[in-house]
Amino acid sequence: MNQNSKRYDGDTWSKLEEIREIVIHSIASNIDLYGVPHSIGRLYGTMYFHNEPMTLDEMRDALGMSKTSMSTGVRSLLDIKMVNKTYQKGVRKDLYRVEEDWYNSFFYLFSSKWGRAVRQNERQIRKAKEMLEELLEETSDPSLTEIIERDLGKMEHALEYYDWLKRLIKSFETEEIFRFIPKQSPKQPSGHSHASSQESEAN
Amino acid sequence: MNQNSKRYDGDTWSKLEEIREIVIHSIASNIDLYGVPHSIGRLYGTMYFHNEPMTLDEMRDALGMSKTSMSTGVRSLLDIKMVNKTYQKGVRKDLYRVEEDWYNSFFYLFSSKWGRAVRQNERQIRKAKEMLEELLEETSDPSLTEIIERDLGKMEHALEYYDWLKRLIKSFETEEIFRFIPKQSPKQPSGHSHASSQESEAN
DNA sequence: ATGTTTGTACAGTTTCTACTTTACAAACTT
DNA sequence: AAGTTTGTAAAGTAGAAACTGTACAAACAT
């Protein structure tokens, strides 16, 4: 079962590893979009092709890095739900496997990182808006009121944008986005192109 | 016109700056999502409230940083189109102002960073897929073919996901996303809630 | 209990990133 | 022409991030 423990035709096997390396490298060099360092991207890629759950020791051996790094690395992948902890009876060590559903990983990234940022900015801007309104009442100087009103306009505009972002993120969380961008691309059988409303199987 | 060169009621003015500082700080502490360092986030926030275009020297004075930092900082903001270069007759210095449309900034981030990543990963995975298919033909060992087929399945799955991401990004670029998530949130006057198809003014 | 395995906290090292200072080229002025 | 001004390249520095080795606590085995 475990393709790492058996010895197949060595030539084919090394070719396979070469191919996998291409993909792993590509993943690793783009994973910074998830705020994850390159080397941990390699870890992710390695786990992606390793079909069974992995232990920290296996990761260490596979990547030639320290076990501590594997521990912290897998933890950061766990935080953004790119890997999951699994359990297997009779196995003492912690086991991890990659989250197979990449849509989930993508959505979770937004829900967490972007969602957090949006909420914070929204809160601060709301606070600023209130303070500006208060300040506006206390001010008589017309050139100053003009500036305050301009700032207020910016705050309104910003709040509108953050509200939009929140709705976008929600459409990810609820997977309603699939109503608009379906998982399987439209095969254009005959009719119109966009905004088809076919159902998508959520998992 | 320029609120920095005149002297208004000092008390009100400092209160205003205090309020702005709240917003600037909040923006700066979340701008890492755009791959921009904190201090350059402050630069962005400062420019955001400074209603006229700014020169590098003004930035240096406003932030107390080196002119070189301002130069590289504003360049990185320029790269992701969060600021624009502007021209003003009779002015020798380069002038910059923030991109007012935050939707644009957000969309451009995806179009550039994510789009680039998607294209690269897609290309590499397509290459890997071809190589795997080739390898599959040369292989007789049944346990080995099983593994190759499993990898091939992963590649298919990945390509499907990247296709989806590409369509999502395209919906940003074309602003068709606004058909699904309109700029102004539905005021729920009476009817249904989501997927309204009202038009949005593109700018 | 004593001994072993497993994961992580902590301290130290290296490597990288965000700056600053200096120096200079290009564009403008006189 | 020589002298300014303006933006950036290059080199150096300080601090942060990524990684390693050691030490240890918790869980399990005997």
Side-chain angles (χ1 to χ4, degrees), chain A:
Chain A
M1 250 344 101
N2 184 338
Q3 69 270 28
N4 287 322
S5 58
K6 279 194 189 172
R7 274 273 62 82
Y8 303 100
D9 176 19
D11 226 37
T12 312
W13 184 254
S14 68
K15 193 81 202 301
L16 183 62
E17 286 196 316
E18 191 189 307
I19 298 170
R20 286 176 168 182
E21 174 56 31
I22 292 171
V23 180
I24 292 172
H25 179 75
S26 190
I27 291 174
S29 66
N30 289 124
I31 206 160
D32 60 295
L33 292 171
Y34 283 78
V36 171
H38 185 90
S39 66
I40 305 305
R42 292 197 62 81
L43 171 60
Y44 178 85
T46 305
M47 292 175 75
Y48 176 61
F49 282 114
H50 189 101
N51 295 307
E52 281 82 35
M54 284 183 91
T55 67
L56 291 178
D57 288 315
E58 285 172 330
M59 297 175 198
R60 167 175 48 69
D61 294 341
L63 299 181
M65 292 177 70
S66 72
K67 197 173 173 182
T68 307
S69 288
M70 299 302 93
S71 177
T72 58
V74 88
R75 178 181 288 268
S76 65
L77 290 174
L78 216 46
D79 284 344
I80 56 177
K81 295 201 175 152
M82 288 183 72
V83 308
N84 300 311
K85 206 167 185 173
T86 60
Y87 303 94
Q88 209 165 307
K89 51 186 172 188
V91 179
R92 250 176 80 186
K93 306 187 184 191
D94 293 357
L95 290 168
Y96 303 93
R97 59 168 160 67
V98 302
E99 165 65 57
E100 297 281 344
D101 190 331
W102 287 7
Y103 299 96
N104 273 353
S105 303
F106 179 76
F107 293 157
Y108 187 76
L109 179 76
F110 271 79
S111 198
S112 55
K113 298 206 188 227
W114 285 80
R116 210 187 57 83
V118 166
R119 282 190 300 275
Q120 198 209 323
N121 278 353
E122 203 185 25
R123 189 154 13 92
Q124 298 304 314
I125 284 173
R126 224 182 279 282
K127 192 206 285 180
K129 193 182 158 198
E130 274 177 36
M131 291 170 80
L132 283 171
E133 280 161 350
E134 202 179 314
L135 194 63
L136 190 63
E137 302 223 329
E138 298 166 2
T139 307
S140 50
D141 183 334
S143 58
L144 206 38
T145 50
E146 196 195 327
I147 292 169
I148 295 173
E149 274 163 359
R150 209 138 145 202
D151 279 18
L152 269 170
K154 285 177 202 279
M155 298 301 96
E156 309 263 9
H157 205 273
L159 283 176
E160 203 183 297
Y161 166 72
Y162 286 123
D163 182 66
W164 182 86
L165 254 189
K166 267 164 64 184
R167 280 178 287 133
L168 178 67
I169 292 168
K170 180 158 278 176
S171 85
F172 290 165
E173 290 170 346
T174 62
E175 298 198 333
E176 278 184 47
I177 188 67
F178 289 136
R179 290 167 177 264
F180 188 62
I181 320 269
K183 275 189 179 178
Q184 57 281 50
S185 72
K187 288 293 181 311
Q188 19 234 56
S190 58
H192 338 287
S193 58
H194 52 241
S196 84
S197 48
Q198 70 195 111
E199 281 307 310
S200 61
E201 84 290 351
N203 31 4

Side-chain angles (χ1 to χ4, degrees), chain B residues 101-117:
Chain B
D101 191 330
W102 286 7
Y103 298 97
N104 274 351
S105 303
F106 179 75
F107 293 157
Y108 187 76
L109 178 76
F110 272 79
S111 199
S112 55
K113 297 207 188 227
W114 285 79
R116 210 188 57 83

